[in-house]
Amino acid sequence: MTSQQQNYVGGAWTDSDTGETFESTDPTAPDEVVAEYQHSDESDVAAAVDAAAGAREEWANTPAPQRGAILREAASELADRKEELTELLTREEGKTHAEAGGEVQRAIDIFYYYAEKTRDLGGTRKSASGGGTDLYTVSQPVGVAALVTPWNYPIAIPAWKLAPALAAGNTAVLKPAEDAPGTALAIVGALDEAGLPDGVANVVTGFGDVGAALVEHDDVDLVSFTGSAEVGHEVYETATADGKRAQCEMGGKNATVVAESAAVEEAADIVANGAFGVTGQACTACSRAIVHESVHDEFVEAVVARAEAIDVGPGDEYDMGPQVSESELQGTLDYVDVAQEEGATLETGGGKPEGDRFGDGYYVEPTVFTDVESDYRIAQEEVFGPVLAVVEVSDFEEALATANDSQYGLSASVVTADHGEAERFVTEVEAGVAKVNAKTTGLELHVPFGGFKQSSTETWREQGDAGLDFYTIDRTVYDAF
């Protein structure tokens, strides 16, 4: 029997005012409904924001270590449900069991991390120029946070927004993406079990109009968004026009440079893992391999072999799962057609795999293109599927220029045995994350994360101490005694 999930508003599980629901389905078998969720509207958003605003003062005045204790208990609740949440994430989003389990564990770790960071909150003390004055700062929460999150990391991204917001003393309303909202609801369920006061965290499910109403609400003080560049820039303009503090992290067209000195087999492993992991549905996925001409042919042979060795199928048994929806699958297949029309050579993949196990699932083969020019759409636009464009270059100078030849600047990596090249790369690449001899995907939770150019509003970073900075504001105190 399909479960029907409710919104979480003011400490209670509630139905939407619309009385309507929508379904999430299994991308491996689209006819199978995973769960029904509330089809919320503006009135539901208003109720959630009212609840958050009403809880704001009491939560802000709760000692930070007490807030941390609740986050710690919520992390423990999530850990107890890890296997259940892993299965839910796999069924709604399509990740393999291993990938989903890793993401659930990351959410757990994030809550534990920010639970401990609450002990460090407070401010700083400085020396005044003259005597007789205590000079110090006091960090305080900003207010009500609107959090709008995507489907591709449906528990990790809500966690890395919600945990620092609550740790810093803000209240929040979360709107998860409609394709896979189940694990986001599980987070607030864990917080509820941990004793979070009513109204501090709220979740409303629905579609884009719900997110828009949340961003526009007068009682929202700050907005954090992760999603597409097109929507993100609209969110930022709307939020800042109303004087709200805002951060938006958006798309990527991430490159790995394979230098002349690179160990080719290692480079192929790094690129393939970055390009085809999580079905390429990561904003940090490697979608461009920029390869020196002297190792180009050997690299292509190696990376094609890795693509063809990937066993595609349902996430509980195979190496790579489906795309999340029919529209995402069709978008990837459309880019395959565009690449060939532009003159790129399809080395492997490019279609839907055939066989009984695939049924009507949203599967696509890991795909590699060569003979790609940097101005091709396949090298400039975000595909968000397991598609790799290989661009051949003649030297490191050209490789670096090609890596920077993008409107995006989220993550980039270089594979090289030359330390001088590595130093130049991390200094000159136009990306918020730069890696040496490592894949473009994969992030540590205790350091800042964010992009450059169209990948980000370049206002505030997420995760680590930077994640707390967005959710706090300092008051400077001059105490003359």
Side-chain angles (χ1 to χ4, degrees):
M1 181 177 178
T2 300
S3 64
Q4 185 174 119
Q5 303 299 314
Q6 296 176 298
N7 290 336
Y8 184 77
V9 177
W13 296 100
T14 63
D15 290 337
S16 168
D17 282 351
T18 66
E20 299 176 0
T21 61
F22 66 94
E23 298 173 340
S24 69
T25 58
D26 186 338
T28 68
D31 289 339
E32 294 185 11
V33 175
V34 177
E36 293 183 2
Y37 297 96
Q38 300 302 308
H39 194 308
S40 307
D41 65 6
E42 291 184 10
S43 65
D44 299 299
V45 170
V49 174
D50 287 348
R56 170 180 173 173
E57 184 175 353
E58 181 181 353
W59 185 243
N61 290 329
T62 299
Q66 291 184 25
R67 300 196 296 260
I70 292 174
L71 298 187
R72 191 177 304 109
E73 181 60 27
S76 179
E77 293 281 343
L78 292 172
D80 289 344
R81 297 179 61 193
K82 181 179 177 181
E83 184 58 33
E84 170 198 345
L85 296 177
T86 296
E87 293 177 3
L88 174 59
L89 200 160
T90 294
R91 288 196 68 206
E92 281 198 328
E93 198 271 349
K95 282 187 174 72
T96 67
H97 189 273
E99 291 167 343
E103 183 182 342
V104 173
Q105 186 60 53
R106 183 175 183 84
I108 294 166
D109 292 344
I110 287 167
F111 270 89
Y112 276 130
Y113 173 79
Y114 282 110
E116 295 308 309
K117 293 300 290 183
T118 58
R119 300 179 187 274
D120 297 332
L121 297 176
T124 59
R125 184 171 295 275
K126 301 291 185 180
S127 296
S129 298
T133 300
D134 276 346
L135 182 61
Y136 59 94
T137 66
V138 177
S139 295
Q140 60 187 60
V142 179
V144 176
L147 312 177
V148 182
T149 59
W151 52 261
N152 63 320
Y153 283 92
I155 191 168
I157 294 179
W160 83 46
K161 294 182 188 295
L162 192 55
L166 301 184
N170 301 274
T171 58
V173 180
L174 170 65
K175 189 275 175 190
E178 61 271 15
D179 284 316
T183 51
L185 287 167
I187 290 177
V188 296
L191 287 164
D192 181 70
E193 291 293 325
L196 189 74
D198 295 350
V200 173
N202 307 270
V203 180
V204 288
T205 56
F207 295 83
D209 58 328
V210 173
L214 180 57
V215 170
E216 294 168 2
H217 198 288
D218 289 342
D219 289 337
V220 164
D221 300 294
L222 65 170
V223 175
S224 182
F225 168 89
T226 300
S228 71
E230 180 183 4
V231 176
H233 287 293
E234 291 179 4
V235 167
Y236 185 73
E237 289 176 8
T238 298
T240 54
D242 291 338
K244 298 177 174 72
R245 180 180 290 200
Q247 64 174 184
C248 299
E249 292 301 329
M250 298 169 282
K253 194 65 183 173
N254 311 294
T256 295
V257 169
V258 180
E260 184 176 14
S261 62
V264 173
E265 293 297 321
E266 177 188 8
D269 285 338
I270 287 170
V271 170
N273 287 336
F276 307 129
V278 296
T279 320
Q281 297 179 135
C283 56
T284 54
C286 176
S287 57
R288 295 181 294 154
I290 301 168
V291 185
H292 191 279
E293 60 187 9
S294 65
V295 296
H296 174 271
D297 292 351
E298 184 182 357
F299 170 82
V300 169
E301 182 179 357
V303 82
V304 165
R306 282 157 177 76
E308 292 177 346
I310 293 172
D311 209 4
V312 179
D316 54 351
E317 298 181 50
Y318 296 93
D319 302 329
M320 190 181 90
Q323 298 214 248
V324 72
S325 66
E326 184 176 12
S327 62
E328 290 294 331
L329 171 62
Q330 190 57 53
T332 297
L333 296 175
D334 287 347
Y335 271 109
V336 170
D337 291 340
V338 166
Q340 293 177 96
E341 290 167 4
E342 289 182 309
T345 299
L346 179 64
E347 297 288 346
T348 191
K352 297 177 64 175
E354 297 180 356
D356 291 341
R357 76 166 179 258
F358 303 112
D360 294 324
Y362 304 132
Y363 296 102
V364 64
E365 298 165 326
T367 301
V368 178
F369 281 103
T370 58
D371 299 317
V372 177
E373 299 295 331
S374 188
D375 61 351
Y376 284 5
R377 288 179 60 191
I378 197 71
Q380 290 292 327
E381 299 176 12
E382 188 174 39
V383 177
F384 227 64
V387 178
L388 177 69
V390 181
V391 182
E392 185 176 0
V393 294
S394 59
D395 55 31
F396 188 76
E397 201 77 33
E398 184 183 0
L400 188 55
T402 302
N404 289 336
D405 181 23
S406 172
Q407 64 178 320
Y408 297 108
L410 186 53
S411 182
S413 69
V414 62
V415 185
T416 180
D418 184 326
H419 195 260
E421 287 181 343
E423 287 187 334
R424 273 202 66 192
F425 182 84
V426 299
T427 301
E428 298 180 30
V429 73
E430 296 168 355
V433 175
K435 297 188 175 186
V436 178
N437 296 329
K439 61 183 180 178
T440 57
T441 52
L443 304 168
E444 295 277 3
L445 62 84
H446 58 291
V447 290
F449 170 68
F452 292 170
K453 300 191 284 190
Q454 294 299 306
S455 290
S456 173
T457 49
E458 299 184 351
T459 45
W460 307 83
R461 292 311 198 207
E462 296 191 281
Q463 303 197 103
D465 289 334
L468 290 167
D469 291 342
F470 175 67
Y471 295 103
T472 57
I473 190 166
D474 288 344
R475 174 185 289 115
T476 303
V477 179
Y478 295 75
D479 184 1
F481 54 88

